[in-house]
Amino acid sequence: MDKDTWCPNHQNVVGVIGGMGPGATVKLFQYVVELQKAPSDVDHVPLLIYNNPQIPNNNKAVLQTGPSSVPAMGYTARALERAGATHLAIPCNTAHCFLSELAEWTNLPILDMIDLTIRSVFDMQVSRIGLLATDGTVKIGLYQKVIKKISKEFNTRPIGMIVPNAKGQCEVDDCILRIKSGDVGADVQRRLLIEAQSLTSRGADIIITGCTELPLVLSDELLSFRVKFVDPMRILALEIIRITGKMCEMNQR
């Protein structure tokens, strides 16, 4: 079989618009690999990753304190499309504020990590969600809008949302910036756990790690209280595995 006749034996290939930040992109790839019990190399999920850290800061773009990130994400999407991607995934919560604009740059369907996460949460039958995320994600109401949409679709009451107070949000934002700079140490972890505990004390049944940097330092094993973390990036990884049509057993523990 020569180079002109060989073709991959899969139908769908997800292209990852990465670099927001690079550590989160690596974590998504790690999830995709670990959540499959693939018996050999060829049974793993095919994936195209464009790690583009030159994409402008999405949080600043949302708050209109920096340039739009859409053109750079659109360029990256088009490069992945040319490379053979059939779907796109974005391991950045705040970037999902621009999905409708990004869709104008590409013909490919974009996996909506926020929508996937909230649908998963509705299946848990919880009453209140705690959200740790960037101030842009919180202020624009990204998760709240999706909750409202899905509540209407399911004809049920919206799930309540609890976010940090002003001081707590500053703590979360500072920790996110420190993680992006490579600091994944005990102090960052401790400060984030304090904010998570605050959300649970105010009635949160679960806590969404609504910034893809947070799973680099937070996990359920660290919690000494009754709630658990819901990681949107892990849910996205499961969807990537699902749409590629790979039938290997997935480790969903």
Side-chain angles (χ1 to χ4, degrees), residues 76-96:
T76 308
R78 287 177 175 177
L80 289 165
E81 187 171 357
R82 290 193 301 270
T86 60
H87 297 70
L88 296 172
I90 310 172
C92 173
N93 285 261
T94 311
H96 283 69

Side-chain angles (χ1 to χ4, degrees), residues 117-139:
T117 299
I118 295 303
R119 290 182 187 279
S120 177
V121 168
F122 266 83
D123 289 341
M124 298 176 188
Q125 297 183 333
V126 299
S127 298
R128 291 173 296 276
I129 299 169
L131 179 65
L132 296 176
T134 64
D135 56 340
T137 295
V138 172
K139 287 178 180 177

